[in-house]
Amino acid sequence: MHVESSSFSKQQASLDRLFARCEGAYSENTLRGYRNALKQFQGWCKERGLEWLPAEPHTIANFLDIEVKTKSISTIRHRVDAISFAHRMADLPSPAEHSEVRLALRRARRAKPRRPKQALGLTAELLNKIVAACPDTLGGRRHAALISVGYDTLCRSCELVAVRAEHLSDDFSHIYILRSKADPFGDGRVAYLSSANIQRVQTWLDASGIVHGPLFRGLHLGTVSHQMLGTSSIRRLIKRAAARAKLSDESVQALSGHSMRVGAAQDMMVAGVDTIGIMHAGGWKSQAVLARYVENASAEQLHHKRWQHLSSVFL
């Protein structure tokens, strides 16, 4: 028992050292996700008396064959990425490239062919319903501004909570998005606000008294916190606002912190904005990723737009 405890302590120390080296080079979210995934793999290996670093290809393959029984394919892929990351950071060859691991991944994909569940897009139609139902209170003004900014800027939740008052232009017409998941080195992008949403931001700032620091913050007993909202708070806030607007229970459950980004991309597609324009607006680097966002855009609206175009051409 003492030997097992000592071995686990050494493994934990090794994991801590590995991630200590990476601080500042990767985002906190990335490191947190990799750490959690590696803890799962490390614990699985410890139960079986196997080495986790370096790991043998058949060890990883067996791990994946067991994990796929209860985990989604996206979780399986993330754990392989984390294992590969650990080996790279330890200057070891990645066993994830071995044929045994590749075959295990293919088995996992074939065992779970279902597509990833897409969050319900918070389109302009839903946005207007939700914002109209926000009460004229401090919390209601924050909700209206946050949801509107999220829609206009196509920000991910982590980007939205990181926005600071200093990132707003003097006339509030645009926001500088400093860093994103697809922009780890902080090249940044500029996102623009509609006139209606400029007013909602102004109303929130006037009510909250925020001049600098995080734009969207927590509230406690009517007092504005100094701390920015957590990403999980975005999801809860959207669901509460949607329930207040009397959206169906099914719609409320389908909304997430990504819903504003999804809905805005879908609206842009329906409006005829080209792919490059949508990618630029949302900070996407991959057309394949964008395609998954917009594929649920209203087919009826797209067909009507096509028919209108064809009728004007052939008349």
Side-chain angles (χ1 to χ4, degrees):
M1 184 69 179
H2 175 73
V3 173
E4 288 185 3
S5 177
S6 176
S7 175
F8 181 76
S9 297
K10 289 179 180 178
Q11 289 184 356
Q12 186 61 47
S14 175
L15 194 63
D16 290 342
R17 285 195 300 272
L18 186 146
F19 279 96
R21 294 182 60 219
C22 301
E23 289 181 6
Y26 293 86
S27 73
E28 291 183 9
N29 285 340
T30 296
L31 294 179
R32 187 183 306 112
Y34 281 164
R35 179 186 284 273
N36 290 338
L38 287 169
K39 281 184 177 179
Q40 295 297 320
F41 180 58
Q42 188 185 63
W44 185 90
C45 289
K46 178 177 178 290
E47 289 176 358
R48 292 159 178 79
L50 301 171
E51 288 289 335
W52 76 277
L53 188 69
E56 294 293 334
H58 67 264
T59 297
I60 301 174
N62 291 340
F63 174 67
L64 300 185
D65 286 339
I66 292 174
E67 288 288 281
V68 75
K69 296 175 183 178
T70 56
K71 303 298 187 298
S72 68
I73 189 63
S74 60
T75 298
I76 297 296
R77 287 172 177 161
H78 184 260
R79 292 191 175 173
V80 173
D81 288 343
I83 293 167
S84 182
F85 172 83
H87 283 75
R88 288 199 310 273
M89 293 303 102
D91 296 316
L92 295 168
S94 174
E97 302 301 318
H98 195 278
S99 61
E100 282 195 68
V101 179
R102 289 180 176 273
L103 289 171
L105 277 173
R106 287 188 65 87
R107 286 194 295 272
R109 285 195 292 268
R110 289 176 64 84
K112 297 206 169 182
R114 292 182 60 184
R115 296 178 60 79
K117 187 176 181 180
Q118 176 69 70
L120 175 65
L122 202 161
T123 58
E125 181 182 1
L126 291 180
L127 172 75
N128 291 332
K129 288 181 181 179
I130 292 174
V131 169
C134 288
D136 188 21
T137 61
L138 187 62
R141 292 174 180 178
R142 181 192 64 177
H143 293 184
L146 185 148
I147 293 170
S148 299
V149 169
Y151 174 85
D152 274 0
T153 62
L154 287 84
C155 276
R156 301 172 179 85
S157 294
C158 59
E159 298 164 14
L160 195 56
V161 299
V163 171
R164 298 174 65 86
E166 302 94 291
H167 298 160
L168 287 163
S169 63
D170 291 340
D171 61 358
F172 299 164
S173 64
H174 57 274
I175 298 177
Y176 180 62
I177 309 302
L178 182 62
R179 194 182 299 274
S180 72
K181 180 180 179 180
D183 177 25
F185 300 112
D187 292 332
R189 63 183 175 89
V190 176
Y192 295 85
L193 300 182
S194 68
S195 55
N197 291 341
I198 289 173
Q199 184 56 53
R200 288 166 186 153
V201 172
Q202 179 69 72
T203 300
W204 160 240
L205 289 175
D206 289 344
S208 64
I210 293 173
V211 176
H212 55 79
L215 181 59
F216 298 115
R217 311 181 185 189
L219 302 175
H220 180 65
L221 300 177
T223 302
V224 180
S225 169
H226 294 294
Q227 303 298 319
M228 67 182 185
L229 281 172
T231 53
S232 60
S233 298
I234 301 290
R235 180 183 66 254
R236 292 193 294 268
L237 183 154
I238 292 169
K239 289 181 180 293
R240 286 200 300 269
R244 188 182 296 109
K246 300 189 184 305
L247 268 63
S248 69
D249 291 343
E250 182 180 4
S251 293
V252 172
Q253 289 302 314
L255 289 169
S256 78
H258 256 40
S259 287
M260 298 167 290
R261 179 172 169 83
V262 173
Q266 291 175 348
D267 281 346
M268 292 177 78
M269 180 183 179
V270 170
V273 178
D274 61 63
T275 301
I276 297 300
I278 301 176
M279 289 177 67
H280 178 74
W284 279 285
K285 302 297 184 184
S286 165
Q287 291 190 27
V289 173
L290 173 61
R292 290 202 297 271
Y293 274 77
V294 301
E295 67 180 352
N296 291 333
S298 172
E300 182 178 358
Q301 292 184 59
L302 289 171
H303 282 300
H304 278 303
K305 189 174 183 65
R306 171 171 63 95
W307 293 328
Q308 289 172 4
H309 173 73
L310 291 176
S311 64
S312 66
V313 170
F314 292 110
L315 281 178

